[in-house]
Amino acid sequence: MTYGPILALVFGYLLGSIPFGLLLTRAAGLGDVRKIGSGNIGATNVLRTGNKGLAAATLLLDVLKGTAAVLIASHFAPEAAIWAGLGAFLGHLFPAWLGFKGGKGVATYLGVLVGLAWQVALIFAVVWLVMAFLFRYSSLAALAAAVVVPIALYFLSTPQIAILFVVMSIIVFIKHRENISRLIAGSEGKIGAKG
Protein backbone atom coordinates (compact mmCIF):
# COMPACT_ATOMS: atom_id res chain seq x y z
CA MET A 1 0.00 0.00 0.00
CA THR A 2 1.25 3.47 -0.88
CA TYR A 3 0.91 6.54 1.29
CA GLY A 4 -0.65 8.57 -1.56
CA PRO A 5 -4.31 8.13 -0.56
CA ILE A 6 -3.53 8.85 3.11
CA LEU A 7 -1.57 12.00 2.25
CA ALA A 8 -4.34 13.16 -0.09
CA LEU A 9 -6.98 12.51 2.59
CA VAL A 10 -4.99 14.45 5.20
CA PHE A 11 -4.30 17.32 2.78
CA GLY A 12 -7.99 17.54 1.90
CA TYR A 13 -8.97 17.37 5.56
CA LEU A 14 -6.68 20.28 6.49
CA LEU A 15 -8.02 22.43 3.67
CA GLY A 16 -11.63 21.47 4.32
CA SER A 17 -11.38 22.15 8.05
CA ILE A 18 -10.79 25.91 7.59
CA PRO A 19 -13.96 27.33 9.23
CA PHE A 20 -14.63 30.26 6.91
CA GLY A 21 -18.09 31.02 8.33
CA LEU A 22 -16.68 31.41 11.82
CA LEU A 23 -13.63 33.39 10.68
CA LEU A 24 -15.64 35.80 8.52
CA THR A 25 -18.34 36.54 11.10
CA ARG A 26 -15.71 37.14 13.79
CA ALA A 27 -13.71 39.40 11.47
CA ALA A 28 -16.91 41.37 10.75
CA GLY A 29 -17.50 41.89 14.47
CA LEU A 30 -20.61 39.68 14.55
CA GLY A 31 -19.27 37.35 17.21
CA ASP A 32 -19.45 33.57 17.18
CA VAL A 33 -21.83 32.24 14.50
CA ARG A 34 -22.12 29.02 16.51
CA LYS A 35 -24.18 30.92 19.10
CA ILE A 36 -27.04 31.75 16.74
CA GLY A 37 -29.60 29.80 14.74
CA SER A 38 -28.60 26.20 14.13
CA GLY A 39 -25.20 26.80 15.73
CA ASN A 40 -23.37 25.61 12.65
CA ILE A 41 -20.61 27.35 10.72
CA GLY A 42 -22.07 27.13 7.22
CA ALA A 43 -23.48 29.79 4.91
CA THR A 44 -27.15 29.17 5.79
CA ASN A 45 -26.47 29.95 9.43
CA VAL A 46 -24.22 32.92 8.57
CA LEU A 47 -27.22 34.29 6.62
CA ARG A 48 -29.13 34.34 9.91
CA THR A 49 -26.83 37.16 11.06
CA GLY A 50 -28.62 39.28 8.45
CA ASN A 51 -25.41 39.83 6.46
CA LYS A 52 -26.01 38.46 2.96
CA GLY A 53 -22.53 39.40 1.79
CA LEU A 54 -20.86 37.36 4.50
CA ALA A 55 -23.17 34.44 3.82
CA ALA A 56 -22.31 34.57 0.10
CA ALA A 57 -18.58 34.77 0.89
CA THR A 58 -18.89 31.81 3.27
CA LEU A 59 -20.72 29.80 0.63
CA LEU A 60 -18.13 30.59 -2.03
CA LEU A 61 -15.13 29.81 0.18
CA ASP A 62 -16.66 26.58 1.48
CA VAL A 63 -17.28 25.49 -2.12
CA LEU A 64 -13.80 26.54 -3.25
CA LYS A 65 -11.97 24.62 -0.52
CA GLY A 66 -13.57 21.41 -1.79
CA THR A 67 -12.74 22.23 -5.40
CA ALA A 68 -9.19 23.29 -4.55
CA ALA A 69 -8.50 20.08 -2.64
CA VAL A 70 -9.59 18.01 -5.65
CA LEU A 71 -7.79 20.05 -8.31
CA ILE A 72 -4.50 20.27 -6.41
CA ALA A 73 -4.49 16.55 -5.63
CA SER A 74 -5.43 15.66 -9.22
CA HIS A 75 -2.03 16.93 -10.34
CA PHE A 76 -0.53 13.93 -8.56
CA ALA A 77 -3.04 11.19 -9.43
CA PRO A 78 -6.74 10.81 -10.28
CA GLU A 79 -7.18 8.57 -7.22
CA ALA A 80 -5.59 11.26 -5.03
CA ALA A 81 -8.29 13.70 -6.16
CA ILE A 82 -11.04 11.41 -4.86
CA TRP A 83 -9.34 10.95 -1.48
CA ALA A 84 -8.63 14.68 -1.16
CA GLY A 85 -12.27 15.43 -1.93
CA LEU A 86 -13.44 13.07 0.78
CA GLY A 87 -10.91 14.62 3.15
CA ALA A 88 -12.13 18.16 2.44
CA PHE A 89 -15.73 17.11 3.05
CA LEU A 90 -14.85 15.40 6.35
CA GLY A 91 -12.66 18.34 7.37
CA HIS A 92 -15.58 20.72 7.03
CA LEU A 93 -17.85 18.42 9.02
CA PHE A 94 -15.35 17.55 11.74
CA PRO A 95 -12.65 20.25 12.12
CA ALA A 96 -10.17 19.30 14.84
CA TRP A 97 -9.77 22.95 15.93
CA LEU A 98 -13.50 23.28 16.72
CA GLY A 99 -13.85 20.10 18.74
CA PHE A 100 -14.83 18.19 15.59
CA LYS A 101 -18.08 20.22 15.35
CA GLY A 102 -18.28 21.85 11.95
CA GLY A 103 -20.89 22.53 9.30
CA LYS A 104 -23.23 20.18 7.49
CA GLY A 105 -21.02 19.92 4.45
CA VAL A 106 -23.34 20.87 1.60
CA ALA A 107 -21.21 23.68 0.12
CA THR A 108 -18.02 21.62 0.38
CA TYR A 109 -19.89 18.62 -1.09
CA LEU A 110 -20.72 20.86 -4.06
CA GLY A 111 -17.12 22.06 -4.28
CA VAL A 112 -15.81 18.50 -4.43
CA LEU A 113 -18.41 17.75 -7.10
CA VAL A 114 -17.27 20.76 -9.15
CA GLY A 115 -13.73 19.41 -9.08
CA LEU A 116 -14.63 15.82 -9.96
CA ALA A 117 -17.68 16.10 -12.23
CA TRP A 118 -18.65 19.69 -13.01
CA GLN A 119 -21.56 18.66 -15.25
CA VAL A 120 -23.24 16.94 -12.32
CA ALA A 121 -22.48 19.99 -10.15
CA LEU A 122 -24.73 21.92 -12.53
CA ILE A 123 -27.48 19.34 -11.95
CA PHE A 124 -26.98 19.76 -8.18
CA ALA A 125 -27.30 23.54 -8.53
CA VAL A 126 -30.49 23.32 -10.60
CA VAL A 127 -32.14 20.87 -8.18
CA TRP A 128 -31.12 22.99 -5.17
CA LEU A 129 -32.34 26.24 -6.71
CA VAL A 130 -35.68 24.81 -7.83
CA MET A 131 -36.37 23.21 -4.45
CA ALA A 132 -35.25 26.32 -2.56
CA PHE A 133 -37.44 28.54 -4.75
CA LEU A 134 -40.48 26.29 -4.35
CA PHE A 135 -40.24 25.50 -0.65
CA ARG A 136 -37.77 28.03 0.90
CA TYR A 137 -36.00 25.35 2.94
CA SER A 138 -32.23 25.14 2.47
CA SER A 139 -32.11 21.73 4.13
CA LEU A 140 -34.80 20.24 1.88
CA ALA A 141 -33.09 21.63 -1.21
CA ALA A 142 -29.76 20.14 -0.12
CA LEU A 143 -31.27 16.75 0.66
CA ALA A 144 -33.06 16.59 -2.70
CA ALA A 145 -29.82 17.45 -4.52
CA ALA A 146 -27.92 14.84 -2.47
CA VAL A 147 -30.36 12.18 -3.69
CA VAL A 148 -30.09 13.19 -7.35
CA VAL A 149 -26.27 13.51 -7.49
CA PRO A 150 -25.25 9.84 -7.01
CA ILE A 151 -27.87 8.77 -9.56
CA ALA A 152 -26.58 11.30 -12.10
CA LEU A 153 -22.99 10.24 -11.42
CA TYR A 154 -23.88 6.61 -12.06
CA PHE A 155 -24.77 7.56 -15.64
CA LEU A 156 -22.36 10.43 -16.27
CA SER A 157 -19.15 9.67 -14.37
CA THR A 158 -16.96 6.86 -13.04
CA PRO A 159 -18.04 4.19 -10.55
CA GLN A 160 -15.45 5.43 -8.03
CA ILE A 161 -16.84 8.96 -8.03
CA ALA A 162 -20.43 7.67 -7.87
CA ILE A 163 -19.54 5.52 -4.84
CA LEU A 164 -17.81 8.47 -3.17
CA PHE A 165 -20.96 10.55 -3.48
CA VAL A 166 -23.21 7.74 -2.26
CA VAL A 167 -21.13 7.78 0.93
CA MET A 168 -21.09 11.58 1.11
CA SER A 169 -24.85 11.83 0.49
CA ILE A 170 -25.54 9.36 3.29
CA ILE A 171 -23.40 11.51 5.60
CA VAL A 172 -25.30 14.63 4.48
CA PHE A 173 -28.56 12.94 5.46
CA ILE A 174 -27.13 11.90 8.84
CA LYS A 175 -25.91 15.46 9.48
CA HIS A 176 -29.38 16.77 8.58
CA ARG A 177 -31.34 14.37 10.79
CA GLU A 178 -32.54 17.19 13.07
CA ASN A 179 -33.57 19.22 10.02
CA ILE A 180 -35.49 16.22 8.71
CA SER A 181 -37.33 15.96 12.03
CA ARG A 182 -38.17 19.67 11.90
CA LEU A 183 -39.31 19.42 8.27
CA ILE A 184 -41.68 16.62 9.23
CA ALA A 185 -42.92 18.62 12.22
CA GLY A 186 -43.30 21.82 10.14
CA SER A 187 -40.92 23.78 12.36
CA GLU A 188 -37.86 24.06 10.10
CA GLY A 189 -36.58 27.61 9.59
CA LYS A 190 -36.92 29.01 6.09
CA ILE A 191 -34.15 30.57 4.03
CA GLY A 192 -33.34 34.11 5.18
CA ALA A 193 -35.08 33.79 8.56
CA LYS A 194 -33.09 35.31 11.40
CA GLY A 195 -32.56 33.46 14.63
Side-chain angles (χ1 to χ4, degrees):
M1 176 175 175
T2 67
Y3 290 106
I6 295 171
L7 290 173
L9 187 70
V10 171
F11 164 72
Y13 176 87
L14 292 173
L15 195 54
S17 65
I18 301 170
F20 286 115
L22 179 63
L23 295 174
L24 290 173
T25 50
R26 280 189 172 166
L30 297 175
D32 191 336
V33 71
R34 295 171 297 176
K35 294 190 161 109
I36 67 161
S38 65
N40 111 27
I41 60 171
T44 301
N45 204 42
V46 172
L47 185 59
R48 292 189 178 106
T49 66
N51 191 317
K52 292 180 181 177
L54 277 187
T58 300
L59 176 65
L60 180 62
L61 289 168
D62 283 347
V63 168
L64 286 177
K65 67 187 182 184
T67 305
V70 168
L71 295 182
I72 292 168
S74 70
H75 285 291
F76 299 94
E79 182 183 306
I82 290 173
W83 285 104
L86 177 60
F89 179 67
L90 295 175
H92 181 78
L93 295 175
F94 309 109
W97 2 95
L98 300 181
F100 300 98
K101 294 177 183 175
K104 293 184 179 172
V106 177
T108 307
Y109 175 109
L110 175 58
V112 173
L113 188 58
V114 168
L116 291 172
W118 65 266
Q119 302 93 331
V120 181
L122 294 177
I123 295 171
F124 175 104
V126 169
V127 171
W128 194 97
L129 289 168
V130 169
M131 294 296 289
F133 176 78
L134 291 176
F135 300 103
R136 305 288 298 163
Y137 293 114
S138 176
S139 57
L140 182 61
L143 293 168
V147 168
V148 170
V149 163
I151 298 168
L153 286 168
Y154 176 80
F155 293 103
L156 300 173
S157 189
T158 66
Q160 294 90 342
I161 293 172
I163 290 167
L164 170 67
F165 278 89
V166 167
V167 171
M168 288 170 58
S169 290
I170 289 169
I171 295 171
V172 165
F173 267 78
I174 291 169
K175 291 293 286 185
H176 282 79
R177 59 194 180 279
E178 292 179 5
N179 302 83
I180 293 168
S181 295
R182 289 194 297 269
L183 284 166
I184 293 168
S187 58
E188 176 74 327
K190 294 199 172 187
I191 294 171
K194 292 187 181 181

